[in-house]
Protein backbone atom coordinates (compact mmCIF):
# COMPACT_ATOMS: atom_id res chain seq x y z
CA UNK A 1 0.00 0.00 0.00
CA UNK A 2 1.14 3.50 -0.80
CA UNK A 3 -0.41 6.63 0.62
CA UNK A 4 0.26 9.92 -1.12
CA UNK A 5 -0.10 13.47 0.14
CA UNK A 6 0.35 16.51 -2.08
CA UNK A 7 1.33 19.95 -0.91
CA UNK A 8 2.54 23.25 -2.29
CA UNK A 9 -0.49 24.45 -4.18
CA UNK A 10 -1.76 27.99 -3.95
CA UNK A 11 -2.79 31.18 -5.70
CA UNK A 12 -0.18 32.79 -7.91
CA UNK A 13 -0.06 35.25 -10.78
CA UNK A 14 0.67 34.44 -14.39
CA UNK A 15 4.40 34.06 -14.92
CA UNK A 16 5.07 32.98 -11.34
CA UNK A 17 6.55 29.70 -10.20
CA UNK A 18 5.28 27.07 -7.81
CA UNK A 19 6.70 23.82 -6.48
CA UNK A 20 4.40 20.95 -5.73
CA UNK A 21 5.48 18.08 -3.52
CA UNK A 22 4.17 14.57 -3.07
CA UNK A 23 5.05 12.67 0.08
CA UNK A 24 4.62 8.92 0.05
CA UNK A 25 4.29 6.46 2.89
CA UNK A 26 5.35 2.86 2.65
CA UNK A 27 8.58 1.04 1.94
CA UNK A 28 8.10 0.58 -1.79
CA UNK A 29 8.37 4.16 -3.04
CA UNK A 30 11.57 3.52 -4.96
CA UNK A 31 9.80 0.68 -6.74
CA UNK A 32 6.85 2.81 -7.85
CA UNK A 33 6.66 4.70 -11.09
CA UNK A 34 5.13 8.04 -10.21
CA UNK A 35 3.09 10.60 -12.04
CA UNK A 36 1.22 13.88 -11.85
CA UNK A 37 -2.22 14.52 -13.26
CA UNK A 38 -4.44 17.57 -13.10
CA UNK A 39 -8.10 18.38 -13.38
CA UNK A 40 -9.32 21.81 -14.37
CA UNK A 41 -12.83 22.98 -13.53
CA UNK A 42 -15.39 21.33 -15.80
CA UNK A 43 -12.79 19.18 -17.50
CA UNK A 44 -11.60 15.61 -17.24
CA UNK A 45 -8.43 14.76 -15.39
CA UNK A 46 -5.40 14.86 -17.67
CA UNK A 47 -1.83 13.60 -17.60
CA UNK A 48 0.94 16.04 -16.68
CA UNK A 49 4.17 14.12 -16.12
CA UNK A 50 5.68 10.82 -15.11
CA UNK A 51 9.03 9.72 -13.69
CA UNK A 52 10.85 6.42 -13.64
CA UNK A 53 11.56 4.52 -10.46
CA UNK A 54 15.10 5.77 -10.07
CA UNK A 55 14.30 9.24 -11.38
CA UNK A 56 16.61 9.18 -14.36
CA UNK A 57 13.83 9.42 -16.92
CA UNK A 58 10.90 11.79 -17.05
CA UNK A 59 8.17 12.45 -19.58
CA UNK A 60 5.96 15.54 -19.70
CA UNK A 61 3.26 16.62 -22.08
CA UNK A 62 4.33 19.06 -24.75
CA UNK A 63 2.58 22.02 -23.15
CA UNK A 64 4.61 21.52 -19.96
CA UNK A 65 8.01 20.86 -21.48
CA UNK A 66 10.38 23.68 -20.75
CA UNK A 67 8.15 25.01 -17.98
CA UNK A 68 7.72 22.06 -15.62
CA UNK A 69 10.43 19.87 -14.13
CA UNK A 70 9.79 16.57 -12.38
CA UNK A 71 12.10 15.00 -9.83
CA UNK A 72 12.05 12.52 -6.99
CA UNK A 73 14.08 11.75 -3.88
CA UNK A 74 13.74 8.07 -3.04
CA UNK A 75 15.65 8.48 0.19
CA UNK A 76 12.96 10.89 1.40
CA UNK A 77 10.00 9.24 -0.32
CA UNK A 78 9.13 12.45 -2.09
CA UNK A 79 8.45 13.65 -5.60
CA UNK A 80 8.39 17.26 -6.75
CA UNK A 81 6.94 19.16 -9.66
CA UNK A 82 8.63 22.49 -10.24
CA UNK A 83 6.35 24.71 -12.30
CA UNK A 84 7.54 27.94 -13.88
CA UNK A 85 6.01 30.51 -16.22
CA UNK A 86 2.59 29.54 -14.99
CA UNK A 87 -0.41 30.40 -17.11
CA UNK A 88 -4.07 30.81 -16.18
CA UNK A 89 -4.79 27.61 -18.10
CA UNK A 90 -2.59 25.73 -15.62
CA UNK A 91 -5.28 26.33 -13.00
CA UNK A 92 -6.39 22.92 -11.76
CA UNK A 93 -6.29 20.45 -8.94
CA UNK A 94 -3.01 18.59 -9.23
CA UNK A 95 -2.87 14.94 -8.22
CA UNK A 96 0.09 12.77 -7.37
CA UNK A 97 -0.22 9.13 -8.44
CA UNK A 98 1.74 5.92 -8.19
CA UNK A 99 1.76 2.74 -10.22
CA UNK A 100 1.93 -0.59 -8.46
CA UNK A 101 5.29 -1.94 -7.38
CA UNK A 102 5.38 -4.45 -10.23
CA UNK A 103 4.92 -1.91 -13.01
CA UNK A 104 8.08 -1.34 -15.02
CA UNK A 105 7.07 1.28 -17.55
CA UNK A 106 6.05 4.89 -17.26
CA UNK A 107 2.52 5.64 -18.35
CA UNK A 108 0.32 8.55 -19.36
CA UNK A 109 -2.84 6.53 -18.72
CA UNK A 110 -4.78 7.40 -15.64
CA UNK A 111 -6.19 3.89 -15.18
CA UNK A 112 -2.69 2.43 -14.91
CA UNK A 113 -2.06 4.28 -11.66
CA UNK A 114 -3.30 2.49 -8.55
CA UNK A 115 -2.65 5.02 -5.81
CA UNK A 116 -3.74 8.63 -5.68
CA UNK A 117 -3.37 11.60 -3.41
CA UNK A 118 -6.20 13.92 -2.47
CA UNK A 119 -4.98 16.69 -4.74
CA UNK A 120 -3.72 20.22 -4.25
CA UNK A 121 -5.28 23.30 -5.82
CA UNK A 122 -3.23 25.53 -8.10
CA UNK A 123 -4.83 28.77 -9.19
CA UNK A 124 -3.09 31.09 -11.63
CA UNK A 125 -4.57 34.55 -12.02
CA UNK A 126 -4.06 36.65 -15.14
Amino acid sequence: QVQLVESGGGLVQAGDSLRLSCAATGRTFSSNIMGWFRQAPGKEREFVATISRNGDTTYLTDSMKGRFTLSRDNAKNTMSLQMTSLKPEDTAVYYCAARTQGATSMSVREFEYSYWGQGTQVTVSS
Side-chain angles (χ1 to χ4, degrees):
Q1 278 285 359
V2 177
Q3 292 184 322
L4 305 172
V5 178
E6 303 94 336
S7 62
L11 172 62
V12 296
Q13 294 186 332
D16 284 352
S17 299
L18 206 57
R19 187 179 182 89
L20 303 184
S21 294
C22 174
T25 61
R27 293 177 289 180
T28 67
F29 180 75
S30 62
S31 299
N32 297 102
I33 290 166
M34 302 294 295
W36 285 97
F37 290 76
R38 70 184 185 183
Q39 187 168 19
K43 296 186 177 181
E44 294 186 351
R45 190 153 56 184
E46 64 174 353
F47 168 80
V48 173
T50 181
I51 188 167
S52 61
R53 291 181 291 186
N54 65 4
D56 63 350
T57 304
T58 61
Y59 176 76
L60 296 88
T61 58
D62 288 344
S63 62
M64 286 81 170
K65 291 178 181 178
R67 298 193 301 126
F68 293 7
T69 303
L70 183 58
S71 62
R72 66 189 294 166
D73 185 338
N74 287 344
K76 297 182 179 179
N77 278 18
T78 59
M79 175 178 65
S80 296
L81 183 68
Q82 178 69 45
M83 305 186 294
T84 64
S85 303
L86 283 164
K87 306 174 183 180
E89 51 264 43
D90 293 319
T91 294
V93 177
Y94 283 72
Y95 296 91
C96 168
R99 297 200 67 189
T100 58
Q101 185 179 358
T104 58
S105 61
M106 298 186 296
S107 175
V108 304
R109 301 178 181 87
E110 180 178 343
F111 69 87
E112 292 188 332
Y113 288 80
S114 300
Y115 307 102
W116 292 84
Q118 82 289 348
T120 185
Q121 176 71 47
V122 173
T123 303
V124 185
S125 64
S126 58

